[in-house]
Amino acid sequence: MSIAIVQARHIFGLKSGVSGNVCFHDEQTIVYPAGSNCIIYNIDQKSQRFIPSTDKSEGMTALAVSPNRRYVAIAEKGEKPTVTIYDLHSLRKKKALSSNEMSSGEYVSVAFSPDSKYLVTQGGKPDWTLLYWTWEKSKVMASVKSSNPQNPNSEVYQVSFNPQDNTQLCVSGNTVFRFFRYSEGNLKPFNFQKVEPQNYLCHAWVSDDRILVGTDNGHLLLFEAGEVKQEFNLGHSGERSTIDGELDLQVTALVTFSKGFACAFGMGTVYMYEKTEDKDTYRKTREIKIPPDPWNSQDPYLAQKQIFRCLAVSPSEETMVGSTDQGQLYYLTLSGAELGKGDQANFEILSQMFHTSPITGLDVCIRKPLIATCSTDHAVMIWNYETCNLELYKVFPEEAYSIALHPSGLYILVGFNDKLRLMNLLIDDIKPFKEFTVRGCRECAFSNGGHLFASVMGNVIQIYSTTTFENVNNLKGHNGKVKAVVWSADDSKLISCGMDGAVYEWDTFTGKRTNESVWKSCAYTSVTVTPDAKSTFAVGSDRTLKEIADSQILREVPAGDMILTVVALSHSGRMLFAGTVKGTIWSMKYPLAVPGDWTEHHGHGAAVVKMKITYDDQYLVSIGEDASVILWKIQDKEGRGLKRDKEIGWAEEILVTKNDLEEKNSTLADLNSRVEELKMENEYQLRLKDMTYNEKMKELTEKFIQEMESLKTKNQVLKTDKDREEAKHEEDMAELMEMHAKELQDLESANNQKLMLEYEKFQEQQAKTLKIQEDYEKQLAEMEESKEKALEELTVYYETKLQEMKVKLEQRKLREEKEANLRLRGETGIMRKKFTTLQKEIDDHKDEIKKLQAESSKLNNVIRSLEKDIQGLKKEIQERDDTIQDKEKRIYDLKKKNQELEKFKFVLDYKIKELKKQIEPREMDIKNMKEQIQE
């Protein structure tokens, strides 16, 4: 039994809604959030490193990289929000900061000081508490309520440090634009602005005394010493965009650099501004837009409707990166942007496009390293999990519910609201070629051989032939929606689960159910099957993982308070994984045991929707409601796994339509003829240039020969001057050396005299030190001797006292034990007398009962019952008597064990009391019986 090793390899996605969600670590590396992780992404190598969220995190809310590029601060919301500082090189946690001074559950913004030693965190509603930390000591230096005191509905969006002053802060938000200065343990407001309150969405420092602020009505304000130095009305100049017919005039992001600044305005647009010649004002030099999306044939301009939420410039100011509200990353080379000032430029996609809405479908290919996903954003994406690139991407007119990849990697099934479509994966496009009347298909899956596929329509599973497209079987039996279907390794069985609490095993040839397990209290959401198809694993709403075999639930592993949403088993049958509603991945100990054991890995920021394992068991792929796709590297503890045949390799075949191929061949022929024409033209041009260059070379050669002769003459003159200067320099050096030797001799004689005086002082001080040391050693010896003597006297005195106390204690204990023993014997004698008297009375009553037997037949049963009780009491009294005798003997043997005797006394007293309580009711019964008999 072992737990598989799981490591995140690559995450496709970006978490929007995080303040400062893209930052530069160095020139080639950016930091951004995805799922529940913070990604350190190398742009050149296309590699990722990960910082997972903390255990009790409810999601990231803010991000900041220190100015020295060594640390990253990650703010996470929860019952007690935290800010965690990590080292960006080792990825180790440095500090975790939390404070009791906040009533909010999140931080909306964080920022490092210019020297990276301090951190400021802005809390959210309702109190909007601003905390000033010395983060290396985890200490809050000062706090203040930063919202607008005149407006109870004000909100704060951003906080930052003055780039030259650790003590000066700026806070901006809805009707909030305030400056604070740290002084004597307090944050005090200063430099009040002389403008009407507005909704300030962002700000950025231009210098230590100038700051830019963007508003929601298209105004950009440059403040200096609390006054507006320059104002830009971006919306008034006709530079505006439209969303749903309404004007969008918001300045949503700002970033500054040495030559100026960039601001995001409206939809998909960033304006570049540079300093004017007087260095006090700025002018617009460039407009950069998000380009139309060539993959979106339905609406290529949809991408331009995104809004930039964060901008960042690299340390060398060569690259600018921006993140949008739809979770996309774009970049621009600033050096290239300067070449054509005044012209419009376009951003480029950084790495690849991501899904923008929850992902609904996932599948992996057997013959190619491909992953297929579909989403509520109408997009179908084909990813390569070896190169971690987006291979194909297409947007459809309607939402895609489910997706399946053919084992060959040449076809895909996509379920839409009206139909299920079978499509060709072409070299640069995805084209449908067959439609099936399966409405609202939420689940579909190709068989492992690819000759069949299963599709779900409500509670019915339909099996089609991939070659003839005929409906081979309809599997009916579920009473609720079918949530998952999975084929067995040999395609002879199909396992399904549904919201009705049923897990069915179907024979794919006959269409009949071969096994079933119904648990109506659980709405199943996912199912998987072992390679031999003998066991099935299912998860659902009842917070358990069930192992089912032969229609019986063999094991039921509780998941605590966590709902498991999806389950996956490796093709080797040695690794089992589960996804949770929290977005984490559980690597389960397999084979299962109750209670279960697992390791948890943080991945998605919302519920895991589906998981698939690649055919070679090298990777686990998971998708989440947060629109992220995560590729996990997996391996069992023994390092075993399926080995891919390297000689066979991946399939390289691709589909190309005949028209595309003919068009490409025609284009290729035209290009070849054009190349030949260009070759001839270039050869002619080269001959002309050779003739021109030869003439120029001849002229230049003659010119250089003349210049060389002139330089030779100059060189001879300079050489003569150099010899003369060298002779003069040697004479000066000789004089200086002689003077230096004389000064050195004088210094040596003076220093020798000083040294002799200091040595005599040292000898005198050393003698004094030796004498003082001898005196101290003598005093120390005398004190040690007196201490030992006093210690011996005290030891003898207290040992004598201790012996006396022991003797007294033993005598006292013995006396108490004797008294207790005598008391117990007296009580036992009394009990015996009472028993004798009681026995005599019982005998008398028996005689009287015999005489009146004829008259008292109705009371016989009662009397017999009482006799049995009396006999039981007699026996119990005898047993108690024996027990008392045994205890007396034990008391005699254990006189020296005082504590055990006291315990026994307590128990004995208790039992005697209980015995008395039992005898008293019986005496009353006998007395009542006598009275009845007499009557």
Side-chain angles (χ1 to χ4, degrees):
M1 298 177 71
S2 63
I3 299 177
I5 301 168
V6 181
Q7 289 181 325
R9 188 195 171 202
H10 203 92
I11 299 181
F12 303 97
L14 168 71
K15 183 178 176 66
S16 58
V18 177
S19 175
N21 67 348
V22 62
C23 311
F24 271 94
H25 169 36
D26 55 37
E27 197 61 34
Q28 295 82 31
T29 309
I30 60 172
V31 182
Y32 63 91
S36 63
N37 292 265
C38 183
I39 311 297
I40 294 89
Y41 178 68
N42 188 294
I43 301 171
D44 294 340
Q45 300 174 1
K46 299 184 183 298
S47 61
Q48 293 182 344
R49 295 190 298 157
F50 309 94
I51 300 175
S53 62
T54 55
D55 291 337
K56 295 183 180 179
S57 170
E58 295 179 9
M60 277 181 271
T61 57
L63 192 72
V65 170
S66 62
N68 62 9
R69 312 287 176 181
R70 291 181 58 190
Y71 308 107
V72 60
I74 301 172
E76 296 171 293
K77 62 182 176 181
E79 290 183 8
K80 191 172 185 181
T82 60
V83 176
T84 311
I85 315 294
Y86 293 90
D87 188 301
L88 279 171
H89 297 285
S90 65
L91 302 188
R92 292 181 179 174
K93 184 190 294 186
K94 300 291 289 184
K95 290 291 178 182
L97 311 177
S98 62
S99 173
N100 295 323
E101 297 184 32
M102 276 182 52
S103 59
S104 173
E106 64 176 339
Y107 293 102
V108 297
S109 180
V110 296
F112 280 97
S113 63
D115 60 2
S116 305
K117 292 182 179 179
Y118 301 95
L119 185 78
V120 63
T121 60
Q122 176 61 62
K125 60 184 178 182
D127 54 344
W128 305 103
T129 302
L130 180 67
L131 301 176
Y132 184 94
W133 303 77
T134 171
W135 66 265
E136 290 179 336
K137 298 179 181 178
S138 303
K139 183 181 178 182
V140 177
M141 306 287 288
S143 65
V144 70
K145 302 292 188 292
S146 60
S147 59
N148 187 347
Q150 281 78 35
N151 184 0
N153 297 321
S154 63
E155 297 182 2
V156 180
Y157 304 139
Q158 185 183 354
V159 62
S160 66
F161 272 97
N162 184 313
Q164 303 295 330
D165 189 350
N166 285 348
T167 63
Q168 188 174 338
L169 310 173
C170 178
V171 174
S172 63
N174 188 3
T175 71
V176 178
F177 184 48
R178 307 177 69 189
F179 290 91
F180 293 92
R181 189 183 300 281
Y182 174 75
S183 176
E184 298 176 353
N186 293 302
L187 285 170
K188 300 176 181 177
F190 76 103
N191 202 4
F192 296 97
Q193 312 307 313
K194 302 173 183 178
V195 292
E196 288 294 323
Q198 300 183 59
N199 189 3
Y200 301 104
L201 299 180
C202 55
H203 70 260
W205 293 86
V206 178
S207 63
D208 59 346
D209 59 347
R210 306 178 105 196
I211 190 167
L212 274 166
V213 188
T215 71
D216 67 342
N217 58 4
H219 286 262
L220 194 60
L221 307 175
L222 177 62
F223 285 92
E224 183 176 357
E227 296 184 355
V228 178
K229 182 75 174 178
Q230 188 176 1
E231 181 175 357
F232 308 89
N233 189 352
L234 305 182
H236 183 68
S237 60
E239 300 153 342
R240 57 183 66 186
S241 52
T242 306
I243 295 180
D244 296 332
E246 295 183 3
L247 294 177
D248 178 57
L249 305 174
Q250 296 183 347
V251 179
T252 54
L254 281 167
V255 65
T256 60
F257 44 92
S258 60
K259 294 183 180 180
F261 65 89
C263 71
F265 172 69
M267 292 185 298
T269 307
V270 171
Y271 296 142
M272 305 287 291
Y273 287 82
E274 292 190 4
K275 295 176 183 176
T276 57
E277 293 179 357
D278 60 5
K279 303 295 182 181
D280 287 335
T281 58
Y282 295 84
R283 61 182 178 86
K284 193 179 86 169
T285 58
R286 199 78 189 273
E287 179 180 331
I288 303 102
K289 284 185 172 290
I290 294 176
D293 186 0
W295 298 95
N296 189 347
S297 59
Q298 304 298 320
D299 186 4
Y301 297 99
L302 184 64
Q304 294 185 317
K305 295 180 181 179
Q306 300 179 80
I307 296 175
F308 282 101
R309 293 297 182 190
C310 184
L311 297 173
V313 174
S314 65
S316 66
E317 299 185 351
E318 291 187 359
T319 308
M320 180 170 66
V321 172
S323 65
T324 71
D325 59 340
Q326 295 185 19
Q328 305 297 330
L329 285 171
Y330 293 91
Y331 79 98
L332 176 75
T333 303
L334 292 178
S335 56
E338 293 176 355
L339 297 177
K341 292 180 180 178
D343 300 331
Q344 180 176 308
N346 285 331
F347 282 99
E348 295 182 45
I349 290 287
L350 183 70
S351 68
Q352 57 257 324
M353 292 288 289
F354 303 132
H355 281 295
T356 61
S357 298
I359 305 173
T360 55
L362 167 71
D363 202 6
V364 294
C365 183
I366 294 177
R367 291 286 290 117
K368 291 184 178 181
L370 298 180
I371 303 167
T373 58
C374 63
S375 166
T376 56
D377 60 7
H378 300 189
V380 170
M381 294 187 173
I382 309 298
W383 314 83
N384 187 312
Y385 61 78
E386 282 207 332
T387 61
C388 297
N389 284 329
L390 181 64
E391 297 268 320
L392 272 176
Y393 160 52
K394 188 167 184 177
V395 179
F396 291 90
E398 55 185 320
E399 180 181 334
Y401 294 150
S402 59
I403 196 166
L405 254 175
H406 192 270
S408 65
L410 301 177
Y411 317 103
I412 58 169
L413 267 174
V414 183
F416 295 97
N417 185 47
D418 57 344
K419 289 183 180 179
L420 176 68
R421 292 179 172 86
L422 185 60
M423 307 186 188
N424 285 323
L425 289 181
L426 304 178
I427 187 171
D428 56 0
D429 198 5
I430 302 174
K431 287 188 177 180
F433 70 92
K434 179 64 180 176
E435 294 182 345
F436 301 89
T437 55
V438 182
R439 295 183 179 277
C441 179
R442 299 280 178 175
E443 289 294 325
C444 60
F446 278 105
S447 63
N448 293 303
H451 59 296
L452 301 172
F453 67 84
S455 62
V456 173
M457 185 168 63
N459 58 0
V460 178
I461 304 169
Q462 297 178 328
I463 298 180
Y464 287 87
S465 169
T466 309
T467 53
T468 64
F469 307 128
E470 293 180 356
N471 185 197
V472 179
N473 267 315
N474 288 325
L475 311 180
K476 298 179 180 180
H478 282 282
N479 296 322
K481 289 184 178 180
V482 177
K483 297 297 292 182
V485 293
V486 60
W487 294 83
S488 63
D490 60 0
D491 294 335
S492 64
K493 296 178 181 178
L494 184 76
I495 293 85
S496 64
C497 69
M499 299 293 288
D500 56 353
V503 176
Y504 293 145
E505 181 183 291
W506 308 84
D507 188 309
T508 56
F509 299 106
T510 63
K512 295 181 179 179
R513 280 200 305 248
T514 55
N515 280 306
E516 62 181 52
S517 172
V518 180
W519 194 264
K520 292 192 176 182
S521 62
C522 175
Y524 287 110
T525 55
S526 180
V527 68
T528 189
V529 65
T530 56
D532 58 6
K534 291 183 179 180
S535 295
T536 301
F537 300 92
V539 295
S541 60
D542 64 346
R543 296 178 172 84
T544 61
L545 170 61
K546 296 179 178 65
E547 182 178 357
I548 304 169
D550 297 328
S551 301
Q552 300 294 323
I553 297 177
L554 298 184
R555 293 172 190 83
E556 194 170 357
V557 177
D561 295 331
M562 187 66 68
I563 295 177
L564 303 180
T565 56
V566 63
V567 64
L569 181 69
S570 66
H571 298 88
S572 64
R574 290 194 291 265
M575 296 180 286
L576 183 66
F577 306 95
T580 71
V581 73
K582 188 182 174 183
T584 56
I585 301 296
W586 286 8
S587 178
M588 310 294 296
K589 179 179 277 190
Y590 188 77
L592 285 181
V594 180
D597 191 12
W598 59 81
T599 56
E600 186 175 41
H601 304 274
H602 293 271
H604 299 277
V608 181
V609 177
K610 288 187 182 299
M611 292 193 306
K612 293 284 184 180
I613 297 176
T614 59
Y615 187 70
D616 56 4
D617 282 351
Q618 297 297 310
Y619 299 105
L620 169 72
V621 186
S622 62
I623 59 174
E625 291 181 356
D626 61 349
S628 62
V629 181
I630 303 183
L631 183 64
W632 307 84
K633 177 71 174 174
I634 58 174
Q635 187 180 20
D636 65 8
K637 279 289 179 70
E638 289 76 20
R640 297 175 299 177
L642 296 178
K643 300 294 183 181
R644 169 167 288 278
D645 192 340
K646 293 183 179 179
E647 294 182 0
I648 298 176
W650 298 111
E652 297 182 355
E653 299 84 3
I654 55 172
L655 291 180
V656 181
T657 62
K658 186 177 180 180
N659 290 335
D660 288 345
L661 188 59
E662 289 174 352
E663 185 180 340
K664 282 182 171 55
N665 288 336
S666 175
T667 305
L668 186 63
D670 293 341
L671 290 173
N672 284 332
S673 62
R674 178 63 179 156
V675 167
E676 292 298 326
E677 292 175 2
L678 289 172
K679 278 184 180 179
M680 294 175 62
E681 186 177 347
N682 286 337
E683 288 175 358
Y684 175 70
Q685 293 293 334
L686 283 171
R687 284 196 296 270
L688 289 177
K689 287 180 180 179
D690 284 343
M691 293 172 61
T692 305
Y693 288 145
N694 286 333
E695 292 177 0
K696 287 184 178 180
M697 284 289 291
K698 186 176 180 181
E699 293 176 2
L700 289 171
T701 303
E702 293 175 355
K703 183 179 178 182
F704 286 148
I705 289 172
Q706 293 176 1
E707 289 179 356
M708 285 174 63
E709 292 296 330
S710 174
L711 288 171
K712 282 181 181 179
T713 306
K714 288 181 180 178
N715 189 36
Q716 189 65 35
V717 173
L718 290 171
K719 188 176 181 182
T720 305
D721 293 342
K722 173 178 170 288
D723 294 340
R724 185 170 60 253
E725 290 294 330
E726 282 181 350
K728 184 180 178 183
H729 175 69
E730 287 176 359
E731 291 177 1
D732 293 342
M733 281 296 294
E735 292 177 2
L736 286 171
M737 290 297 290
E738 184 178 352
M739 188 185 300
H740 176 69
K742 185 177 179 183
E743 290 177 355
L744 185 64
Q745 188 175 1
D746 294 342
L747 285 170
E748 282 181 354
S749 60
N751 285 335
N752 285 335
Q753 292 177 0
K754 289 181 180 179
L755 189 62
M756 290 300 296
L757 291 171
E758 292 297 328
Y759 182 72
E760 290 174 359
K761 289 180 181 178
F762 171 73
Q763 291 290 343
E764 184 179 348
Q765 292 294 330
Q766 191 174 22
K768 288 181 179 179
T769 303
L770 289 172
K771 184 178 180 183
I772 291 169
Q773 187 174 359
E774 288 175 359
D775 293 341
Y776 280 146
E777 285 178 354
K778 185 176 180 182
Q779 291 177 9
L780 188 63
E782 291 175 354
M783 290 175 69
E784 186 70 26
E785 185 178 350
S786 64
K787 185 185 79 172
E788 288 179 357
K789 186 176 180 182
L791 185 61
E792 287 177 0
E793 291 175 355
L794 286 171
T795 303
V796 171
Y797 174 75
Y798 282 112
E799 282 180 352
T800 305
K801 286 282 185 184
L802 184 62
Q803 191 64 31
E804 291 175 359
M805 292 301 292
K806 282 183 179 179
V807 172
K808 288 180 180 179
L809 186 61
E810 287 176 357
Q811 289 175 355
R812 183 180 174 185
K813 285 181 180 179
L814 186 60
R815 186 171 60 255
E816 289 177 353
E817 288 171 2
K818 284 180 179 179
E819 291 174 357
N821 194 21
L822 289 172
R823 187 169 61 255
L824 286 171
R825 285 183 178 178
E827 290 175 356
T828 305
I830 293 167
M831 290 297 295
R832 283 179 180 171
K833 287 178 181 179
K834 285 183 179 181
F835 172 73
T836 305
T837 305
L838 185 62
Q839 184 66 41
K840 186 177 180 182
E841 289 179 358
I842 290 168
D843 292 339
D844 294 340
H845 290 315
K846 280 183 181 180
D847 293 338
E848 290 177 4
I849 289 167
K850 286 178 182 179
K851 292 177 183 179
L852 301 171
Q853 198 167 16
E855 298 174 1
S856 57
S857 56
K858 293 181 182 180
L859 301 173
N860 271 340
N861 292 331
V862 178
I863 292 168
R864 285 173 188 159
S865 174
L866 289 173
E867 284 177 349
K868 288 180 182 178
D869 291 342
I870 291 166
Q871 291 296 326
L873 288 171
K874 284 169 68 177
K875 185 178 179 181
E876 190 173 350
I877 290 168
Q878 185 62 40
E879 289 175 354
R880 298 295 183 187
D881 195 26
D882 295 340
T883 303
I884 290 168
Q885 290 178 0
D886 292 337
K887 297 299 181 182
E888 284 178 351
K889 186 177 179 182
R890 190 174 179 186
I891 289 168
Y892 179 77
D893 295 332
L894 301 175
K895 283 183 179 179
K896 293 182 181 181
K897 299 180 180 179
N898 187 40
Q899 294 179 348
E900 294 181 7
L901 180 61
E902 289 177 356
K903 290 180 183 178
F904 177 73
K905 280 168 57 183
F906 178 78
V907 172
L908 189 60
D909 288 343
Y910 177 76
K911 287 183 178 180
I912 290 170
K913 288 177 182 178
E914 290 293 319
L915 188 60
K916 286 180 179 179
K917 288 179 182 179
Q918 293 175 5
I919 291 172
E920 285 175 359
R922 300 302 180 192
E923 288 178 345
M924 291 298 295
D925 290 343
I926 292 169
K927 185 177 181 182
N928 293 334
M929 182 62 69
K930 279 182 178 181
E931 292 174 356
Q932 290 177 4
I933 293 170
Q934 288 173 0
E935 291 175 358

